[in-house]
Amino acid sequence: MEQEIRIDIGPFFRRHGRKPSGRGYWVFQIVSPLATAKDHILAPQEEMAFKAACERALEVAALRRATRVLLLPE
C-alpha cells in the first residue's frame, strides 16, 4: 500500500504569513530516503498556478519515492 504524500506549506507560511495561492514561481524540496547527495529541489522555470505546481511536485515525489515535500519560501 502506497503512502499518500502531502505538501508541507509550513516554511512558506512562516515566511509570508499567508497560505500559498495564485500564480508564482513555486519552489519545492523533495525529501527522499534514497541515497542521494542532497534532497531534490524542484524549481520550475515558468510561472505556474499553485495547484498545477503542486501536482507536478507530487509526480516528481512519487518517482523519487519521496517521504515529504516542502514548499520553500523563495
Side-chain angles (χ1 to χ4, degrees):
M1 184 168 147
E2 236 177 85
Q3 180 181 0
E4 180 181 350
I5 301 170
R6 294 198 160 183
I7 296 176
D8 180 356
I9 65 167
F12 181 92
F13 186 83
R14 284 189 292 280
R15 166 78 59 87
H16 299 288
R18 64 177 175 82
K19 291 183 179 181
S21 65
R23 297 183 66 80
Y25 293 93
W26 308 105
V27 179
F28 298 90
Q29 181 177 8
I30 312 295
V31 182
S32 174
L34 299 176
T36 58
K38 62 179 183 173
D39 295 328
H40 182 74
I41 300 295
L42 177 64
Q45 299 299 310
E46 62 204 34
E47 188 177 52
M48 302 178 77
F50 180 63
K51 183 177 179 179
C54 287
E55 290 170 358
R56 177 69 183 130
L58 290 173
E59 287 173 2
V60 172
L63 290 173
R64 295 180 62 87
R65 296 187 179 123
T67 55
R68 298 178 63 206
V69 177
L70 301 168
L71 175 62
L72 300 180
E74 306 289 319

